[in-house]
Amino acid sequence: MKWLRWVAFPLALLVSLAAVGAALAGFVVLLAYPNLPSIEVLNQYQPKIPLRVYTSDGALIGEFGEERRAVLRIDEVPDVMKQAILAAEDERFYQHQGVDYVGVIRAAYSNLIAGGKQQGASTITMQVARNFFLSSEKTITRKLYEALLAYKIEAGLSKNQILEIYINQIYLGQRAYGFAAASQIYFGRALQDVSLAEAAMLAGLPKAPSSFNPVVNPRRAKQRQLYVLRRMRELGYVTEAQLAEAQKQPLVVRRDIDDFPVHGEYVAEMVRQVLYERYPDEVYTSGLRVYTTISKRDQEAAYRGLREGVLGYERRHGYRGPEAFVEIASNASEDMLEDALAEYGDNDGIHAALVLEAGPREVRAYLRGGETIEVKGDGLRFAAGALAANAPPKRKLRRGAVIRVQKDAKGRWQIVQLPEVEAALIALDPQTGAVRALVGGFDFSRNKYNHVTQAWRQPGSSFKPFIYSAALEKGFTPATIINDAPVVVDATLTGGQVWEPKNYDDAYEGPMRLRTALAKSKNMVSIRLMQTIGPQYAQDYITRFGFDADRHPPYLTMALGAGSVTPWQMARAYAVFANGGYRVEPYLIERIVDDRGNLLAQAQPARAGDEALRVIDLRNAFIMNDLMHDVVRYGTGARAGALKRFDIAGKTGTTNDYVDAWFAGFHPTVVAISWIGFDQPKKLGANETGARAALPIWMDYMTQALKGVPQMTLEAPAGVVAVRVDPMTGLRTTEDGQLEYFYRENLPPDEATAAATASDSNGARLVDKVRSQLF
């Protein structure tokens, strides 16, 4: 039986060594277990939740924080998501006690068969232990601690608690932590609404968020998704038919991670700055939620209107040529084409495209993601000059040109270009100052300069109503006759040199009523008004509306809007006319709540009607309102008549040499200001007036803002009298004249009384004097 001794001895040795190893392992466990960190942090789990900014009606417009996260309870997570996670990461999660020995043996066998290819065996519980307490280094010591911590976590928490923490904590790429955030970032939808195909793709991310990121590596992400789907079928979570359908479903992945449902980027940034000043230590991690005054419908209308207005301006001023040229080999692969487009981001429906072939009748171009498009017919019209045989090399469309394309209303591709010009729009409630819409520029990602609050520009003729309002307080009336004739102003009165201003159309119509002069935006009348009331008085008066006196020097040039304003200031100022004479302060934040919904701050705005806020007489506001109605009835803003409303009013503004274009307008329920110009001031181009360049933006917005709002009629307040006047003299008439409003104490004489009782020292009748009076 010698052979038995040869077998027994090695066997006994192995058993002894195993016993010693087990004893040592037990000893290590006894020493290490008491030193493991407390899992109390998991019981009091407080994830870093970003600052989120919403419209007043709950649409997300901004998110700030290193970790983009949305926290869900386990019962809010759909079954398809749970099943996909278990299939991808830990199919025996509900059977093991933290360490899956079956999984360890399977992984070891697989690694042996694969010849060294590593397959992990970390359970969901072990991943939670690693994410919260341990480093990511791959050492035996760390793996031991990971396993021990997994046992400890399993002993202290239920399976559903562990899974809930994992679902909310795991990193999934694109700054997304947790599956709820990842669903919103990658697919633009709540986790509860994901499809089987989408759930499988999300479940495949934890293994390698960078490698399987569908934005960066769509092909590898697809391979990983198909693997998860097959595992779900093997585990009986889905049927064969469901598997087949999910495998065929195309995944529409959002490439812009900051693409929120509503474009309110400038608003969100304004809120972020305010919140950072107030809560600097917790603003990006504590889950603060800010509800703004912004209306989702209004914001969308403002954003669309501004972009269409800017692109309309671009269409009027011609194609500048391709953005760049890149060399493309004749046999260039799709990867090479993708690389060529990598630095040219898409812009909300305006796509970067790489020209493959270009001819006078058709342009073929490659879009990011693999689509090749054809642009034909009207789609080529904007860039027709760049397709001509004699086009300059820098403008010519040819293979390798980087261009911009956009679909038209009928879904056909057309060549467009990203604008150089900028624009802004702000709208607010004149009764409270609540901002309803704010768009600070064409695209926040390209230009973060907020033109609503930061752009100090000349307001041009949109400033004239404040001078007219001052004149009313000096005894002028809408029927006062002033001469529209050229003026030469001495240098001592301008603060500079001799000034010879002109009307914008260089046309002069002689004596006219103030009403007509404002409607037609006559510069000469405004200057004569300013001469009479005095620049110093006007400078003091405009501060009632919130303007800075030092930005409007007391010279005659102030009459033409030569000072500096922001669209924000203009909205506040025009609200005074819209609400009956009260100055309300624009505000953007309605309320702030914490991550549990507890109210931290609530806006309490002062409202129009509080006499402490009154800055101009109600009668003044009414008459100015009525005067500006004529601007849109028959004056420079007449194209606003397309809105078919008699209850809107406003004023166009065009600065010297067409550098800035404005439209400031209002309805009793909303004030809106639109502006367009270049960041480095230069001419917009001939005839790019406020009416042509800025008013269409305002109209597009107001079309939506006033949808469903009934027509409103303003009643003349006490102290305002309506009488008929001769439009040529401004005197009361018994004949058929035009209805005009006056302060009761400023009624003009009637023609008969004037003719019978009044004459000047030279015998000229008062009627004749009024006809030819010059100011």
Side-chain angles (χ1 to χ4, degrees), residues 134-250:
L134 302 171
S135 68
S136 58
E137 61 177 344
K138 296 183 177 181
T139 64
I140 295 175
T141 302
R142 196 224 64 190
K143 291 298 289 184
L144 174 63
Y145 270 93
E146 187 177 295
L148 294 177
L149 271 170
Y151 282 122
K152 189 170 184 178
I153 290 170
E154 292 268 355
L157 299 176
S158 70
K159 286 288 187 180
N160 280 346
Q161 285 177 304
I162 297 168
L163 186 58
E164 180 179 294
I165 291 171
Y166 177 83
I167 286 172
N168 287 312
Q169 177 68 20
I170 194 72
Y171 177 65
L172 299 171
Q174 302 292 93
R175 292 193 295 120
Y177 285 79
F179 286 91
S183 176
Q184 193 65 242
I185 290 166
Y186 289 117
F187 301 121
R189 68 180 70 206
L191 187 63
Q192 294 89 334
D193 299 326
V194 295
S195 66
L196 170 59
E198 291 166 340
M201 197 226 75
L202 293 174
L205 289 170
K207 182 177 180 64
S210 298
S211 298
F212 299 131
N213 185 323
V215 175
V216 179
N217 294 306
R219 291 178 180 173
R220 293 196 67 185
K222 183 65 178 179
Q223 292 172 356
R224 177 66 174 165
Q225 178 222 29
L226 294 176
Y227 164 76
V228 175
L229 286 171
R230 290 193 299 271
R231 290 293 297 136
M232 292 181 75
R233 177 69 190 105
E234 291 169 6
L235 295 170
Y237 291 142
V238 298
T239 65
E240 197 65 40
Q242 289 173 320
L243 172 64
E245 182 180 352
Q247 287 174 327
K248 291 185 296 184
Q249 180 183 330

Side-chain angles (χ1 to χ4, degrees), residues 460-638:
S461 295
S462 63
F463 199 73
K464 289 176 181 175
F466 307 106
I467 306 303
Y468 276 63
S469 175
L472 292 181
E473 295 307 301
K474 283 288 192 176
F476 286 81
T477 75
T480 300
I481 304 297
I482 299 183
N483 198 21
D484 174 36
V487 172
V488 177
V489 182
D490 187 82
T492 58
L493 299 177
T494 65
Q497 55 189 6
V498 174
W499 185 37
E500 297 184 50
K502 301 179 183 298
N503 285 333
Y504 81 94
D505 56 0
D506 208 22
Y508 305 90
E509 300 183 37
M512 62 176 56
R513 290 179 298 151
L514 254 66
R515 175 179 292 278
T516 305
L518 185 63
K520 295 185 176 183
S521 199
K522 293 295 186 176
N523 289 343
M524 302 304 105
V525 172
S526 295
I527 292 168
R528 287 188 163 90
L529 265 185
M530 180 70 82
Q531 284 178 318
T532 306
I533 67 175
Q536 188 60 62
Y537 173 77
Q539 185 192 46
D540 293 339
Y541 188 83
I542 64 168
T543 61
R544 302 183 184 193
F545 298 87
F547 295 115
D548 302 328
D550 59 352
R551 291 185 179 271
H552 301 271
Y555 300 116
L556 295 179
T557 51
M558 190 194 338
L560 306 186
S564 296
V565 300
T566 65
W568 181 278
Q569 283 188 329
M570 292 291 277
R572 175 175 59 191
Y574 268 83
V576 175
F577 295 135
N579 65 27
Y582 303 95
R583 178 173 148 187
V584 294
E585 291 299 323
Y587 71 101
L588 196 58
I589 296 176
E590 183 62 40
R591 70 184 188 279
I592 304 170
V593 300
D594 64 18
D595 61 322
R596 298 181 180 179
N598 298 314
L599 185 66
L600 300 179
Q602 175 75 52
Q604 296 183 346
R607 298 182 62 90
D610 180 353
E611 289 303 313
L613 303 177
R614 180 170 293 286
V615 292
I616 65 172
D617 191 311
L618 173 60
R619 299 176 302 171
N620 187 304
F622 172 81
I623 291 176
M624 288 305 305
N625 194 312
D626 189 64
L627 290 176
M628 283 186 278
H629 273 75
D630 277 5
V631 174
V632 298
R633 286 183 187 128
Y634 66 85
T636 55

